[in-house]
Amino acid sequence: MSICNKKTLLCLAVSGSLFSVSYAANANDHHDHNHHDGEHHESEHRHHDAHVHGVVETNIAQDGDHLLFEITAPGADVVGFEHAPKDDAQKQVLANAVKTLNNPNLIFTLPENAKCTFEEAHVSHNLVNHNDHDDHDHDHDHDHDHHDGEHHKEHGKHGEFSAQYEYHCEAISNLDQIETQWFTHFPHTHKMTIQYLGDAGQKAASLTPKSSVITL
């Protein structure tokens, strides 16, 4: 069972308020996809705008003593490609990435005095074979300007990963910062955007390999 099925309020906060703030705050980062307009992706427009190589989006929602992380990352940032694995080497890279993502203690460091206990992870990706979809090499250096017309309709979904982590924190009031080791494990990422919503209010930040701590 996914975390969202169990923690409806937290997920509504993440998928509603945080995503709306994230979309507005990072509009300038997504200018490369402005040409993907029109009617053909109206329901997925925000999803595609949010897909920028080198940029990972993280939303954090806190409600009482519960803390929920939600990460959306392009496949290129995580494994270096955005299609189904084509050989054993790529299969191993994918398996290693999923294993790492399923261990949030490798991704985030929370203050010890907040007494946060990891409870559940839910990791998914769409780097799988769908008929001839894997023939579409959407690697890290792929030119997005060619994604238009019928071709874009056929390959509407970018390869990406999604991860959700749930924590229970006995002393949530001591949660004054969050550090990430994402850049160590996934060096293709240049920036991680953070949107936080909790008792401390709402906060946005951009983390980089040289600045990987958000102060709450």
Side-chain angles (χ1 to χ4, degrees):
M1 178 181 293
S2 70
I3 296 173
C4 277
N5 289 335
K6 298 175 61 178
K7 301 294 180 182
T8 304
L9 291 178
L10 283 177
C11 290
L12 286 175
V14 171
S15 63
S17 300
L18 285 175
F19 273 133
S20 62
V21 172
S22 175
Y23 177 58
N26 296 292
N28 290 334
D29 289 335
H30 307 147
H31 65 87
D32 288 340
H33 290 264
N34 286 343
H35 60 284
H36 294 323
D37 54 5
E39 300 177 357
H40 60 289
H41 276 319
E42 184 175 351
S43 64
E44 297 179 341
H45 183 68
R46 183 168 60 191
H47 170 81
H48 288 301
D49 277 359
H51 186 98
V52 179
H53 286 172
V55 179
V56 169
E57 293 189 348
T58 299
N59 297 309
I60 306 171
Q62 177 256 322
D63 181 28
D65 54 6
H66 290 284
L67 193 65
L68 179 71
F69 290 73
E70 184 169 86
I71 303 172
T72 303
D77 283 47
V78 178
V79 293
F81 51 89
E82 294 197 347
H83 50 71
K86 293 187 174 183
D87 53 38
D88 289 341
Q90 290 189 345
K91 288 178 181 178
Q92 187 61 53
V93 170
L94 178 58
N96 290 342
V98 171
K99 182 177 180 180
T100 299
L101 289 172
N102 270 297
N103 187 350
N105 291 329
L106 296 177
I107 307 297
F108 295 106
T109 299
L110 308 179
E112 288 187 11
N113 60 356
K115 298 181 179 179
C116 296
T117 302
F118 166 64
E119 292 194 338
E120 188 175 354
H122 180 71
V123 176
S124 62
H125 64 83
N126 60 359
L127 276 66
V128 294
N129 285 309
H130 289 300
N131 296 325
D132 61 348
H133 183 81
D134 60 324
D135 291 333
H136 175 56
D137 276 7
H138 191 171
D139 288 329
H140 187 67
D141 59 352
H142 189 80
D143 187 351
H144 283 246
D145 291 337
H146 295 302
H147 285 202
D148 56 351
E150 294 298 321
H151 182 72
H152 189 69
K153 289 182 182 180
E154 293 176 7
H155 304 290
K157 282 193 175 183
H158 294 284
E160 69 179 21
F161 288 77
S162 176
Q164 292 179 336
Y165 306 132
E166 182 188 348
Y167 291 84
H168 175 266
C169 302
E170 295 182 15
I172 194 75
S173 60
N174 292 326
L175 185 71
D176 56 0
Q177 69 173 35
I178 297 172
E179 182 178 3
T180 185
Q181 290 77 44
W182 177 278
F183 302 101
T184 299
H185 298 288
F186 307 114
H188 289 298
T189 303
H190 304 303
K191 180 171 70 173
M192 173 183 280
T193 62
I194 302 284
Q195 301 292 334
Y196 171 84
L197 180 65
D199 291 345
Q202 203 168 49
K203 184 162 187 174
S206 292
L207 304 183
T208 66
K210 293 184 179 181
S211 178
S212 57
V213 178
I214 178 174
T215 302
L216 304 177

